[in-house]
Amino acid sequence: MTRSHAAATAPPEADADLAVLGSPLYRGIKTVVAGLGVVYALSTLLPMGGQRPALLDTWFYSVVLIATSLLALARPILVRRNRLAWAFVGGGVASWAAGDIYWQASFADAETIPVPSLADVFYVGLYPLAYIGFILLARATVRRLPASVWLDGVVTSLAAGAMFSAFTLNDLLNADTGKAFAATVTNLSYPIGDLVLMVVAVAALAMVRWRNDPVWWMAGLGAAAFTVADTAYLFGLANNTYTDGSWIDGTWMIGLTLMALAGSVHRRRAADEVRGFAALLVPILFSLCALVVLIVGTFVHLHPVTIIMASGCLLAAGARTALTFEQTRELNRTRRQAATDEISGLGNRRVLDSALPGMLEGLPQGAILPLTIVSVDHLHEMNRILGYTAGDMILNTVGNRLLRALPPEAVAVRLGGAEIAILRTVSAGAADSISRDTELLLHSLAAPIPAGPVPVQIELSAGLALAPMHATNSAELIRCAADALHEAKSSRSEVEVYDPGHRGDVGSHLLPDLLRAVEHEQFFVYYQPKVDLGTRRPVALEALLRWRHPVHGWIEPEVLQRLAVQVGLTRQLTRFLLRSALESCAAWRRQGFELGVAADVSAADVLDSRLPYDVAKMVNKLGVPPSAFTLEIAEEVMLIDARRTETALGQFRHFGVRLALDHYGRSAPSLARLRSMPVDELKLDPAFAAPMVSSPQDAVVIRSTVELAHSLGITVVAEGVDTREMVDAVTLSGCAGVQGTLPGEPLSVDALQAWLAAQRPPAEQHTGSRRRPEQSTYSTR
């Protein structure tokens, strides 16, 4: 996340907190307080020849304590974030400072100091308040504590406690022998409090994963300074060596100053936690220290508390080690699952994406890297008939057979659905031999599979692309293999090798350009006339959407439509074409030209439940008569369920829009189905109509089709008419209209205006009068 984005997503109170901590006034006060604490600490280390000024350890010392307490308390007062946690820390600092100020005022010149006293209450008050503050801070930094994190905290804190108690506890307890019970309990509260403070501070640092964060390290070092100073003070009292104004007082001051400064650090971003082996190194070192304590305990008498803490540390370390092994095993299992397709047992797409670039780069000189995409044909139908369990068993069986058939170094992955990709390096061999090997592989995979009541015979298709001949990068190689697979399915062949010269349409490498073409307004609508054979005059114009590519030039409508389907632009381009066509029709009808307009829609558009209503809105808004607008529907609509088709087409008819069945005869036409389709016009595909010029048999078929259409009240138009012989042939067959290069080429918007002007009779051009049109056999209803 960038800094600007982090700032944009931060809550308003966080910005306000940063503004307070980063303000010049706050930073200036913080610097002054820190400087006072450092000055006093340094003064305890400077040799003064036994003439240390009393002012340093009385008034100056008290002023520094008060300033440090106020700085610690200012943090929760001025800043809302983690207010409760810092209130406890600040309260602990202020409690200790109050106790020391009271002690200075009451017992500085006393010969005997009562134990316990009110000062001890304030001193000891630091510990529970600091404990709570540290724990709350750790919980605020880490919302969720995994078992490994709190185990690290247990290991490090117990080891720290064991080391501290090993050096101090025996001596401090022996020093209190013979004293009054109250005095003994009071004196013991300090080493125990320091022990717990160190345990909590180290545990908190472990909980936040030893973050590289000055806040935590200042708080932790402040707690450590208190531990050192308290321990040295108790040893000094036991041996009568403590003097006022010594380095012990300076260490106390450093501890207080660090804890107060921890809450005033100005941070703009969260600190990173230590990860990897570095995070494990700290608990490992602490565990070794606990082990050393136990070894020393075999030779030297140590307090039982020390032995218990060291033993507990090693037990926690053992649990942490077992957890680490389990996490490592689970991580390996998760990685295998993340790279394995559960159904087929092969790798998944991640494996292909990671393996393919490396295999391409490391391809030996003269070697070939074939990428084969195998498809289990008709798997969708088998899932529907036999159930998804059977489909899963088919994929699993094919996957297992493939793993047994391929060499160990080959990579086999399931891309998704019914497609499997195979990668293997071939040292030498032509494409045809690789194709034959692929055919043999498919034969071995296609044996009957017991996936239902009877064994299922499956069919496989494969597309093959070779690197470096066909492509030199991963994306292009996958695209080429996918294109070859598509060709294999279209031609119903078993294996197809990618052939760049065989593709008659524009490559899918233009798909990114197509997505940008919408923004750059590279789509244009052309209009091609439909001519009535009875009057020899145009009666309508078909709107054709073309794409003007900046490099490849004009992309024709059929190619554009196929590409649009692949990137999900069909709906958007259809609306653009229909709107442009209706706007143009409204414009030329206002000029006095009673021409209809037609536009292509795909089978998917026909089933779009919103399209009829969108068309009705556009027609009503532009004032175009619904009967002047024809939707030309692709012949593929005849392959769709009859009930759904009739319902969808009936919606258009309800709004008065004319319907034409386009490209009729491109595939095997169903005359029986034609009877049930509510269409007004039938457009014969050029491949269906053109042969009748030279074939009497084809002419008979065309005439039969036209007669059937006429009996159903359907107008017939022949497409692709480019010769006089073709015009004569379709006229004899009974067609009402023609469309093609001979009647008129597609016209741009500008060329259309000149064409329309030429269509107006000379008398109308001069007088503006209108002539009654001749009787037309082409009806636009």
Side-chain angles (χ1 to χ4, degrees):
M1 180 183 292
T2 61
R3 180 173 294 181
S4 60
H5 186 259
T9 57
E13 57 268 18
D15 294 336
D17 294 345
L18 292 177
V20 171
L21 295 176
S23 64
L25 177 61
Y26 190 90
R27 294 170 66 182
I29 294 173
K30 178 178 68 175
T31 303
V32 170
V33 173
L36 291 175
V38 172
V39 167
Y40 178 79
L42 290 176
S43 71
T44 62
L45 301 177
L46 296 176
M48 296 186 181
Q51 301 297 323
R52 180 177 176 80
L55 182 65
L56 284 175
D57 299 317
T58 54
W59 290 103
F60 181 73
Y61 182 67
S62 298
V63 168
V64 177
L65 286 178
I66 293 172
T68 304
S69 301
L70 291 176
L71 179 63
L73 292 172
R75 169 62 161 83
I77 294 174
L78 299 176
V79 177
R80 284 172 290 184
R81 188 177 182 184
N82 297 331
R83 174 169 284 168
L84 184 61
W86 286 113
F88 277 106
V89 175
V93 172
S95 177
W96 195 95
D100 210 30
I101 293 172
Y102 175 80
W103 190 93
Q104 289 289 340
S106 302
F107 309 120
D109 298 325
E111 293 184 2
T112 59
I113 301 173
V115 179
S117 67
L118 184 60
D120 292 308
V121 175
F122 285 111
Y123 283 142
V124 175
L126 164 70
Y127 299 117
L129 294 173
Y131 303 156
I132 297 173
F134 284 176
I135 292 172
L136 290 177
L137 280 175
R139 289 295 298 161
T141 304
V142 183
R143 298 293 182 185
R144 187 181 67 86
L145 286 178
S148 60
V149 173
W150 63 259
L151 276 175
D152 286 344
V154 171
V155 169
T156 52
S157 58
L158 288 178
M163 289 186 292
F164 173 77
S165 61
F167 286 105
T168 61
L169 206 56
N170 272 333
D171 293 337
L172 293 177
L173 292 176
N174 293 334
D176 282 329
T177 303
K179 293 185 179 180
F181 177 76
T184 300
V185 171
T186 301
N187 288 335
L188 282 177
S189 64
Y190 290 103
I192 294 173
D194 290 329
L195 175 62
V196 177
L197 183 62
M198 173 170 287
V199 168
V200 171
V202 173
L205 281 169
M207 286 167 61
V208 298
R209 307 297 290 170
W210 306 96
R211 293 179 184 271
N212 184 21
D213 190 338
V215 172
W216 278 106
W217 285 103
M218 282 185 178
L221 291 175
F226 260 98
T227 303
V228 172
D230 281 341
T231 304
Y233 173 72
L234 292 176
F235 274 116
L237 287 182
N239 299 316
N240 295 319
T241 58
Y242 171 74
T243 58
D244 206 17
S246 66
W247 67 271
I248 297 175
D249 295 318
T251 306
W252 271 322
M253 184 59 71
I254 290 296
L256 281 178
T257 303
L258 286 173
M259 293 177 70
L261 289 176
S264 62
V265 174
H266 177 55
R267 293 183 303 176
R268 289 193 173 274
R269 65 179 183 87
D272 297 328
E273 65 183 42
V274 178
R275 295 181 179 272
F277 179 73
L280 294 174
L281 182 62
V282 176
I284 290 173
L285 292 177
F286 274 91
S287 300
L288 291 176
C289 292
L291 180 61
V292 170
V293 169
L294 289 178
I295 293 173
V296 171
T298 60
F299 302 100
V300 179
H301 174 71
L302 295 177
H303 195 275
V305 172
T306 303
I307 302 300
I308 291 173
M309 296 185 76
S311 301
C313 171
L314 293 182
L315 287 175
R320 178 67 171 92
T321 302
L323 180 62
T324 301
F325 279 119
E326 180 59 31
Q327 287 177 336
T328 303
R329 187 162 51 245
E330 180 63 26
L331 180 61
N332 291 332
R333 185 164 54 248
T334 303
R335 285 177 176 173
R336 285 195 301 272
Q337 291 175 350
T340 304
D341 176 66
E342 183 178 357
I343 296 176
S344 66
L346 304 173
N348 57 22
R349 181 61 186 267
R350 297 187 187 94
V351 176
L352 179 66
D353 292 340
S354 60
L356 185 52
M359 295 179 73
L360 281 170
E361 293 177 5
L363 195 62
Q365 186 71 27
I368 300 172
L369 179 63
L371 171 63
T372 308
I373 300 182
V374 178
S375 173
V376 181
D377 297 337
H378 314 298
L379 184 64
H380 176 73
E381 288 80 358
M382 285 186 279
N383 280 331
R384 180 171 55 84
I385 297 171
L386 302 176
Y388 283 95
T389 302
D392 292 346
M393 181 163 300
I394 291 172
L395 288 173
N396 182 263
T397 304
V398 171
N400 290 333
R401 290 174 179 175
L402 189 58
L403 290 176
R404 291 193 298 268
L406 292 176
E409 66 274 9
V411 177
V413 305
R414 182 186 174 208
L415 296 179
E419 295 183 354
I420 295 171
I422 304 169
L423 270 177
R424 64 192 190 280
T425 302
V426 178
S427 58
D432 56 350
S433 64
I434 297 175
S435 178
R436 285 195 299 271
D437 293 341
T438 304
E439 290 177 0
L440 293 175
L441 176 63
L442 295 188
H443 292 162
S444 66
L445 299 178
I449 297 174
V454 295
V456 177
Q457 180 66 55
I458 63 172
E459 296 180 1
L460 302 175
S461 302
L464 188 63
L466 309 176
M469 287 81 78
H470 297 150
T472 56
N473 62 71
S474 303
E476 281 297 306
L477 189 61
I478 293 172
R479 181 187 65 80
C480 294
D483 287 347
L485 176 63
H486 178 73
E487 180 65 26
K489 289 186 174 183
S490 299
S491 61
R492 300 189 181 278
S493 59
E494 196 170 29
V495 178
E496 286 289 339
V497 180
Y498 176 72
D499 181 6
H502 181 69
R503 307 185 71 217
D505 58 345
V506 179
S508 57
H509 61 280
L510 294 181
L511 293 178
D513 296 339
L514 181 58
L515 292 171
R516 291 188 290 268
V518 178
E519 301 177 17
H520 299 156
E521 298 180 351
Q522 296 175 355
F523 297 112
F524 297 87
V525 179
Y526 277 59
Y527 296 90
Q528 186 171 28
K530 291 183 182 180
V531 175
D532 178 73
L533 288 175
T535 63
R536 303 291 172 159
R537 292 185 58 81
V539 292
L541 293 162
E542 180 183 355
L544 305 171
L545 185 63
R546 287 177 167 180
W547 173 24
R548 188 169 64 187
H549 191 277
V551 176
H552 299 279
W554 290 104
I555 309 299
E556 293 303 315
E558 287 192 16
V559 177
L560 175 58
Q561 188 178 57
R562 286 197 294 271
L563 293 175
V565 170
Q566 299 181 53
V567 292
L569 280 179
T570 302
R571 180 186 178 92
Q572 186 174 351
L573 294 185
T574 297
R575 263 64 175 185
F576 174 79
L577 174 63
L578 299 183
R579 185 170 56 252
S580 300
L582 286 169
E583 288 173 351
S584 297
C585 183
W588 66 59
R589 290 179 80 89
R590 285 194 299 269
Q591 299 172 26
F593 297 100
E594 302 295 328
L595 295 171
V597 68
D600 283 342
V601 291
S602 66
D605 291 322
V606 171
L607 299 179
D608 182 356
S609 61
R610 291 298 312 166
L611 186 60
Y613 301 96
D614 292 342
V615 169
K617 289 179 182 178
M618 286 187 275
V619 167
N620 293 334
K621 180 180 179 180
L622 296 170
V624 176
S627 60
F629 186 41
T630 302
L631 287 177
E632 297 190 356
I633 303 163
E635 190 196 26
E636 286 78 9
V637 77
M638 298 180 71
L639 303 177
I640 304 173
D641 177 69
R643 183 181 57 82
R644 294 181 63 195
T645 305
E646 292 173 12
T647 301
L649 296 180
Q651 291 180 305
F652 291 107
R653 292 293 297 271
H654 174 74
F655 293 119
V657 175
R658 297 182 74 251
L659 299 175
L661 187 62
D662 200 10
H663 301 302
Y664 184 82
R666 175 178 291 182
S667 58
S670 173
L671 298 179
R673 180 68 193 281
L674 182 62
R675 292 186 304 171
S676 62
M677 294 194 67
V679 296
D680 304 281
E681 182 179 312
L682 190 66
K683 297 188 70 176
L684 303 181
D685 191 81
F688 182 53
M692 71 175 178
V693 176
S694 56
S695 171
Q697 292 84 359
D698 288 317
V700 171
V701 173
I702 297 297
R703 281 196 298 272
S704 300
T705 303
V706 173
E707 289 173 1
L708 174 62
H710 285 169
S711 67
L712 298 174
I714 299 174
T715 303
V716 181
V717 177
E719 290 187 282
V721 176
D722 53 5
T723 63
R724 290 291 179 184
E725 292 79 9
M726 186 67 177
V727 172
D728 295 339
V730 297
T731 302
L732 290 175
S733 69
C735 291
V738 292
Q739 185 179 351
T741 57
L742 184 63
E745 295 275 4
L747 304 168
S748 66
V749 174
D750 294 336
L752 179 63
Q753 293 302 319
W755 181 85
L756 287 173
Q759 299 305 308
R760 194 185 300 275
E764 293 186 21
Q765 295 179 19
H766 295 288
T767 65
S769 62
R770 296 188 181 181
R771 183 179 64 171
R772 180 189 177 109
E774 301 176 44
Q775 184 64 34
S776 171
T777 59
Y778 182 96
S779 173
T780 57
R781 295 190 183 179

